[in-house]
């Protein structure tokens, strides 16, 4: 047992309204510099859709993440050692700027400065690459937003590949439109492909909290991380010649605040907390067969109340405050205790530490006699919610392809529990379910009244402090392993750097 | 259409090849920079003349590559001589009539700029006017030369006794060596015997050009080596051939580039050539059907 702490995340997809506030908060803080125009460390995609960059989930093309070989061991999909060497100066699997999008701004000045004329002045789109006007914008980071680009984009979603014709038909049942939102940031994986692919050893995972960072001093622009990360969450800054990625706002975390995208989230879908995990199990967790991946990942996460776990964590130098934070962690509850949050694409085998509660509404809404019906009775006079999973409008297979490496059973269990919460609370407030039905729902969801209440509270009525349990990170203590914090005391004034950092652009 | 973001029409590895070529050229050129000159010496006319001039001139010993300099101080003004010896290249370029005439008379071999200091120029002019005479440095009769040994010296199979570099590191002779020789010095197919003629041994004994002088001043050729090289350069197969080095190099370069591109195509034939555009095109095409 080798217990360590990880600052982890849960996104509750039923609550995301697709407003992109999170993306803007991130952009304004971190990626409004030269060279970062096209980057969205936080982006929100519409699903089904092809996302950003286009088809990032298609690893036949981008070669991201890990693959389980015949010897049951995993290896990078990108290359082996020899291949890495021969591709060192030319990585053949990089997305082009067109696969992200050509970033643009608008000529706002024209609204003020245009000479007097017969027409209203307009603000034309200006490319942030060429500086020239763009008359036809062809793609953007959320191009298939609300299925806007559906006929061309959404139908190419790789998660639809496994669906039969009939199942695809279900997608079109209501107004030919079904979708949900998928906000994405770096998953701060336990077995990160980006770290493994970097030939310069510039990417590292912080010991005390698991945040994955790219050293701007060591990065040599080989850009292997961009291919190595299956989520395409490292980006190359063309102006500085270094790669960059989500830093989980560690400067904010270190001062006790949640990351900006978490803080600003309008739907309050985001939860942040500590998980204690057993590092001895990472290799196994990343190498098990597809259908066992989620179970292995749950098994990796340890009970923060177990005295043995606490002891091992202490022995590893995990501060008590961190352990307390793990005990209060909303992430622990969603992922391990209630088992309703799932990793995104565990099949990439990077063991992502960002978990998603799958969305219910697009799954259950049905068309009945020309009316939308999300809770009515079905033909056998059973509450539709209980029987409709099989005929779900957003096929369960689709969800399984995203959240459980194709294991339908796991996704079903999650939904059964979520449905139980729904029916239980509805019976309480609206009183249109009979006690027997509620009992049946709880049984099917393998849950009980107490757990359902807890899930309900943390889903619908959580306070700021319940959503974000930011541990004291103690960076000042952690760096003692590498440098002596008191070295520069009484020497250089503010800060611990030997030189004043220079802003270059 | 977003015209601005066409995926680059040149494959990206082209840039890589280009860079590689650039680096190779850079390395090659660094190697060919020749060691800096020795320190300026006290202006002693006799020494300067012996070191810099005897490769092409005598005083009263007859013409070699350049004219016999006996009585030159009477033929030309001191001012002209000073200018000429200091910077013959500039005078030729400026089209000085006397300089041009000399150039034409002497087989279009330009007198090199010897980078002499004003002191040295003055000293050497004084020396030429002093009535001293010299003979060709090769006048000490050379032993009979062996063209095969000369060839071996040229390509580097035999080493010069005093440690000088073999000729091929800077010069080419068409048909010698499969990759030709260096390109720093002139191609000796046309600039060797056929140009310098009988003056060549003197030149070999004490090369006059700045670059050659710097190299050979401290590692002179022995008389036997001079004779062998002369014999080799004199051979009809060398001196009467047309140069083909340029073609050869161009040919090799094209072949090499083709091979590299072929190799790159093979290595990266399955590279990602854009995702979004092809996807859109595929989908549109499927819809039409
Ligand atoms: S999601 Fe983040 S940690 Fe995981 S591989 Fe990508 S960049 Fe690395
Ligand atoms: S701010 Fe929250 S609700 Fe809005 S898009 Fe982002 S994750 Fe969804």
């Amino acid at each position: 047992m080798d217990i360590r702490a990880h600052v982890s995340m849960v996104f509750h997809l039923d609550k995301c309204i697709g407003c992109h506030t999170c993306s803007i908060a991130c952009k304004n803080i971190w990626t409004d510099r030269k060279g970062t125009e096209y980057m969205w460390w936080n982006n929100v995609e519409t699903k089904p859709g092809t996302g950003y960059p286009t088809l990032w989930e298609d690893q036949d093309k981008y070669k991201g993440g890990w693959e389980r070989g015949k010897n049951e061991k995993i290896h990078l999909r990108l290359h082996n050692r020899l291949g890495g060497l021969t591709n060192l100066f030319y990585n053949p699997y990089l997305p082009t700027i067109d696969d992200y999008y050509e970033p643009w701004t608008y000529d706002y000045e024209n609204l003020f400065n245009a000479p007097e004329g017969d027409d209203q002045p307009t603000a034309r789109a200006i490319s942030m690459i060429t500086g020239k006007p763009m008359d036809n914008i062809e793609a953007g980071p959320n191009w298939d937003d609300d299925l806007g680009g559906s006929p061309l984009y959404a139908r190419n979603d790789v998660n639809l590949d496994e669906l039969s014709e009939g199942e695809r038909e279900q997608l079109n049942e209501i107004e030919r439109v079904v979708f949900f939102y998928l906000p994405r940031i770096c998953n701060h994986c336990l077995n990160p492909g980006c770290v493994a692919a970097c030939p310069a050893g510039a990417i590292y995972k912080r010991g005390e909290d698991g945040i994955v960072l790219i050293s701007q001093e060591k990065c040599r622009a080989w850009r292997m991380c961009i291919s190595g990360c299956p989520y395409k969450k490292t980006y190359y800054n063309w102006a500085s010649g270094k790669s960059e990625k989500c830093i989980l706002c560690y400067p904010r975390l270190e001062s006790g605040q949640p990351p900006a995208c978490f803080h600003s989230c309008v739907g309050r879908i985001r939860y942040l907390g500590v998980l204690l995990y057993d590092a001895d199990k990472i290799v196994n967790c990343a190498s098990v067969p597809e259908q066992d991946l989620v179970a292995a990942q749950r098994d990796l996460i340890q009970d923060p109340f177990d005295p043995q776990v606490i002891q091992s964590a202490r022995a590893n130098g995990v501060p008590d405050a961190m352990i307390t934070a793990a005990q209060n962690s909303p992430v622990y509850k969603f992922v391990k205790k209630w088992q309703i949050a799932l990793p995104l694409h565990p099949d990439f085998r990077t063991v992502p530490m960002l978990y998603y509660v799958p969305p219910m509404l697009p799954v259950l809404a049905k068309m009945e006699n020309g009316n939308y019906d999300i809770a009515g009775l079905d033909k056998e006079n059973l509450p539709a919610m209980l029987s409709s999973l099989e005929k779900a409008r957003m096929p369960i297979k689709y969800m399984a392809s995203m959240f459980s490496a194709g294991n339908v059973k796991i996704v079903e269990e999650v939904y059964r529990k979520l449905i139980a919460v729904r029916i239980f609370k509805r019976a309480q407030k609206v009183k249109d379910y009979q006690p027997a039905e509620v009992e049946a729902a709880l049984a099917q969801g393998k849950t009980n009244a107490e757990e359902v209440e807890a899930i309900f509270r943390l889903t619908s009525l959580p306070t700021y402090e319940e959503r974000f349990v930011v541990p004291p990170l103690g960076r000042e203590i952690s760096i003692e392993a590498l440098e002596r914090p008191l070295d520069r005391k009484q020497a250089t004034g503010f800060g611990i750097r030997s030189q004043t950092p220079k802003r270059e652009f | 259409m977003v015209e601005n973001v066409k995926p680059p029409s040149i494959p990206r590895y082209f840039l890589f090849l280009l860079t590689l070529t650039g680096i190779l050229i850079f390395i090659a050129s660094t190697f060919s920079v020749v060691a800096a000159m020795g320190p300026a010496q006290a202006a002693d006319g006799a020494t300067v003349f012996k070191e810099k001039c005897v490769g092409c001139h005598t005083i009263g010993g007859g013409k070699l590559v350049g004219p016999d300099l006996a009585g030159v101080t009477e033929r030309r003004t001191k001012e002209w001589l000073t200018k000429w010896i200091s910077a013959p290249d500039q005078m030729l370029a400026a089209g000085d009539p006397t300089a041009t005439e000399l150039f034409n008379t002497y087989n279009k071999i330009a007198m090199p700029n010897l980078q002499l200091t004003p002191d040295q120029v003055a000293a050497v002019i004084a020396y030429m006017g002093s009535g001293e005479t010299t003979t060709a440095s090769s006048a000490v009769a050379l032993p009979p030369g062996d063209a095969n040994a000369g060839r071996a010296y040229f390509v580097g199979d035999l080493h010069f006794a005093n440690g000088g570099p073999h000729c091929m590191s800077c010069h080419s002779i068409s048909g010698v060596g499969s990759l030709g020789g260096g390109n720093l010095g002139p191609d000796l197919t046309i600039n060797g015997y056929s140009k310098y003629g009988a003056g060549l041994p003197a030149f070999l004994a004490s090369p006059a050009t700045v670059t050659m002088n710097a190299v050979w001043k401290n590692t002179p050729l022995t008389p036997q080596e001079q004779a062998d090289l002369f014999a080799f350069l004199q051979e009809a197969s060398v001196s009467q051939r047309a140069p083909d080095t340029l073609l050869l190099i161009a040919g090799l370069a094209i072949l090499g580039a083709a091979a590299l591109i072929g190799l790159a195509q093979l290595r990266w034939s399955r590279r990602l050539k854009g995702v979004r555009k092809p996807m859109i095109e595929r989908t549109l095409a499927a819809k039409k059907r």
Side-chain angles (χ1 to χ4, degrees):
Chain A
M1 200 183 263
D2 178 8
I3 303 296
R4 302 180 194 177
H6 201 293
V7 173
S8 317
M9 305 141 274
V10 163
F11 288 1
H12 197 307
L13 293 185
D14 249 343
K15 303 210 284 170
C16 179
I17 60 172
C19 62
H20 300 272
T21 309
C22 45
S23 306
I24 298 299
C26 176
K27 183 113 212 137
N28 282 342
I29 298 183
W30 300 119
T31 58
D32 64 346
R33 292 159 294 133
K34 194 175 163 198
T36 64
E37 298 86 351
Y38 76 100
M39 295 181 198
W40 293 90
W41 293 356
N42 181 109
N43 74 301
V44 184
E45 295 170 4
T46 303
K47 283 281 168 191
T50 49
Y52 157 85
T54 309
L55 287 178
W56 61 269
E57 290 160 290
D58 188 348
Q59 304 312 341
D60 287 342
K61 294 200 165 63
Y62 290 118
K63 311 275 183 218
W66 305 85
E67 217 171 13
R68 186 170 189 256
K70 288 215 180 66
N71 56 2
E72 305 188 353
K73 290 207 176 108
I74 52 165
H75 54 88
L76 275 187
R77 206 185 301 255
L78 182 61
H79 52 222
N80 54 23
R81 266 163 204 252
L82 185 65
L85 207 61
T86 53
N87 278 346
L88 195 54
F89 288 93
Y90 172 65
N91 175 354
Y93 304 114
L94 287 175
T96 64
I97 187 69
D98 181 66
D99 300 326
Y100 291 98
Y101 78 112
E102 183 176 9
W104 72 88
T105 180
Y106 293 96
D107 181 12
Y108 296 108
E109 294 225 324
N110 190 47
L111 298 178
F112 302 97
N113 301 343
E116 201 178 322
D118 292 339
D119 303 314
Q120 285 281 357
T122 54
R124 289 176 82 186
I126 307 287
S127 163
M128 288 168 98
I129 292 179
T130 62
K132 298 203 182 95
M134 283 167 75
D135 288 330
N136 280 308
I137 294 171
E138 267 210 340
N142 55 339
W143 203 240
D144 34 16
D145 204 3
D146 300 356
L147 299 195
S150 216
L152 286 183
Y153 287 84
R155 60 155 59 193
N156 285 301
D157 186 329
V158 293
N159 298 299
L160 297 170
D161 286 358
E162 295 290 299
L163 303 192
S164 65
E165 264 312 303
E167 285 168 322
R168 280 169 187 251
E169 272 311 300
Q170 285 172 260
L171 291 169
N172 294 331
E173 198 176 331
I174 300 180
E175 308 282 0
R176 311 190 62 76
V177 168
V178 59
F179 60 82
F180 64 97
Y181 299 109
L182 180 74
R184 299 203 296 124
I185 64 174
C186 164
N187 299 291
H188 298 277
C189 309
L190 273 187
N191 183 33
C194 59
V195 175
C198 176
I203 313 186
Y204 61 102
K205 201 168 167 62
R206 297 213 304 194
E208 73 268 29
D209 50 25
I211 297 175
V212 175
L213 296 174
I214 302 178
S215 160
Q216 295 297 291
E217 265 129 42
K218 283 195 188 161
C219 174
R220 291 290 172 272
W222 299 116
R223 282 174 275 178
M224 294 302 172
C225 58
I226 293 162
S227 294
C229 169
Y231 303 92
K232 291 289 159 287
K233 278 296 171 191
T234 62
Y235 303 86
Y236 178 66
N237 178 326
W238 56 265
S240 68
K242 311 275 172 179
S243 291
E244 299 180 1
K245 63 180 283 301
C246 159
I247 58 175
L248 204 60
C249 284
Y250 71 79
R252 287 175 61 94
L253 285 178
E254 282 167 18
S255 52
Q257 309 168 76
C261 55
F262 285 68
H263 199 150
S264 62
C265 176
V266 173
R268 303 188 174 182
I269 80 155
R270 298 180 176 219
Y271 300 80
L272 182 122
V274 177
L275 290 180
L276 297 182
Y277 66 94
D278 186 353
D280 286 341
K281 293 188 172 170
I282 298 178
V283 177
N284 174 55
C285 174
S287 322
V288 294
E290 232 90 275
Q291 71 272 12
D292 301 332
L293 280 166
V294 173
Q297 198 161 337
R298 283 175 177 157
D299 182 48
L300 186 80
I301 299 164
Q302 302 293 313
D303 179 357
F305 296 97
D306 180 340
Q308 235 186 324
V309 170
I310 295 177
Q311 194 192 4
S312 168
R314 283 214 182 108
N316 267 347
V318 177
D320 282 356
M322 201 67 144
I323 297 173
T324 315
Q327 291 169 344
N328 295 330
S329 167
V331 178
Y332 178 74
K333 290 178 189 140
F334 275 118
V335 178
K336 176 89 177 191
K337 199 165 160 202
W338 303 330
Q339 311 214 328
I340 53 175
L342 300 168
L344 174 62
H345 280 298
D347 43 314
F348 297 161
R349 297 176 184 276
T350 61
V351 194
M353 290 308 260
L354 160 56
Y355 298 84
Y356 291 86
V357 179
M360 192 146 57
L361 277 179
V363 175
L364 294 184
K366 282 175 63 76
M367 197 73 159
E368 216 51 81
N369 305 325
N371 292 320
Y372 301 146
D373 181 5
I374 56 166
L377 301 182
D378 71 2
K379 291 191 192 71
E380 289 95 48
N381 258 358
L382 279 167
M385 273 203 191
L386 283 182
S387 63
S388 59
L389 255 196
E390 291 71 27
K391 326 176 225 159
R393 196 158 60 100
M394 182 71 93
I396 291 297
K397 256 198 209 161
Y398 179 87
M399 294 299 177
S401 158
M402 278 179 70
F403 296 115
S404 65
N407 187 333
V408 175
K409 195 167 148 275
I410 288 182
V411 178
E412 249 175 42
E413 278 168 8
V414 170
Y415 274 116
R416 293 276 177 226
K417 195 175 268 189
L418 291 174
I419 290 170
V421 176
R422 196 62 67 100
I423 289 182
F424 184 89
K425 290 311 286 184
R426 197 176 162 112
Q428 257 181 15
K429 303 279 176 197
V430 191
K431 308 206 186 321
D432 58 350
Y433 281 108
Q434 300 309 312
E437 286 170 344
V438 175
E439 279 309 312
L442 288 180
Q444 273 211 34
K446 300 202 182 92
T447 181
N448 54 51
E450 194 194 345
E451 185 179 78
V452 163
E453 278 293 352
I455 294 176
F456 165 74
R457 281 209 65 82
L458 199 58
T459 303
S460 304
L461 309 166
T463 63
Y464 181 91
E465 285 76 19
E466 284 166 343
R467 281 186 284 139
F468 310 128
V469 182
V470 182
L473 289 188
R475 186 69 191 147
E476 64 286 357
I477 298 165
S478 304
I479 56 170
E480 278 174 13
L482 301 170
E483 40 189 303
R484 297 178 359 163
L486 293 184
D487 263 1
R488 292 186 185 82
K489 195 166 158 58
Q490 297 182 329
T492 51
F494 287 110
I496 55 161
R497 294 180 66 117
S498 52
Q499 291 167 338
T500 323
K502 241 196 342 241
R503 184 157 180 150
E504 278 169 24
F505 31 78
Chain B
M1 288 298 295
V2 186
E3 297 297 348
N4 305 329
V5 268
K6 272 191 222 121
S9 49
I10 317 171
R12 276 173 290 168
Y13 61 75
F14 245 85
L15 288 179
F16 161 57
L17 289 181
L18 226 60
T19 324
L20 192 71
T21 319
I23 293 172
L24 288 179
I25 291 176
F26 175 76
I27 293 173
S29 60
T30 334
F31 276 123
S32 25
V33 171
V34 167
M37 320 278 170
Q41 286 171 356
D44 167 6
T47 318
V48 175
F49 193 88
K50 218 172 133 228
E51 234 174 51
K52 309 273 187 179
C53 314
V54 291
C56 302
H57 300 282
T58 63
I59 305 179
K63 337 199 259 195
L64 293 173
V65 176
D68 183 341
L69 298 178
V72 74
T73 44
E74 277 120 56
R75 262 180 309 193
R76 317 276 179 223
T77 65
K78 187 163 182 197
E79 194 201 350
W80 187 90
L81 273 178
T82 310
K83 256 168 88 185
W84 174 243
I85 297 173
S86 310
D89 46 344
Q90 282 168 26
M91 264 178 108
L92 263 176
D96 179 274
T98 320
T100 316
E101 192 203 315
L102 281 171
F103 177 66
N104 289 334
T105 319
Y106 285 91
N107 220 355
K108 303 211 179 214
I109 300 175
M111 168 149 158
N113 185 330
L114 298 165
Q115 318 260 326
L116 299 181
T117 62
D119 274 4
Q120 289 174 319
V121 175
V124 86
I125 293 176
Y127 176 73
M128 291 190 298
S130 68
E132 293 269 347
T133 57
T134 67
T135 48
S137 45
S138 58
V140 200
L142 285 178
D146 169 3
N148 282 337
R151 185 189 171 95
Y153 282 125
F154 183 88
V155 300
D157 286 348
L158 281 177
H159 297 303
F160 291 122
N162 291 325
H166 57 91
C167 318
M168 213 173 163
S169 45
C170 299
H171 297 281
S172 301
I173 288 178
S174 85
V176 178
S178 52
L179 285 170
N183 266 348
L184 180 70
D187 182 335
L188 296 185
T189 328
I190 38 173
N191 288 306
Y193 181 75
S194 48
K195 200 155 177 188
Y196 285 71
L200 194 53
F203 189 88
L204 284 175
S206 167
T209 56
V210 178
T211 326
M212 292 277 280
N213 194 276
V215 176
W216 295 101
K217 191 169 63 187
N218 300 322
T219 54
L221 297 173
T222 64
Q224 183 61 54
E225 288 163 356
Q226 291 168 32
D228 292 344
L229 276 174
F230 183 59
F232 169 60
L233 291 171
Q234 207 179 8
E235 264 189 342
S237 62
V238 172
S239 57
Q240 279 163 32
R241 261 177 91 120
D244 63 3
T245 336
L246 201 66
L247 268 179
L248 183 77
I249 288 178
L252 276 172
I254 291 170
L255 269 179
L260 274 178
I261 290 174
L263 215 66
Q265 274 293 355
L266 215 67
R267 173 70 184 89
W268 292 310
S269 60
R270 295 175 61 192
R271 66 186 178 274
L272 198 56
K273 297 166 186 151
V275 173
R276 193 190 68 88
K277 279 239 166 81
M279 180 188 87
I280 299 291
E281 275 155 23
R282 227 178 352 185
T283 316
L284 285 176
K287 277 191 160 178
K288 257 188 217 135
R289 253 185 273 119

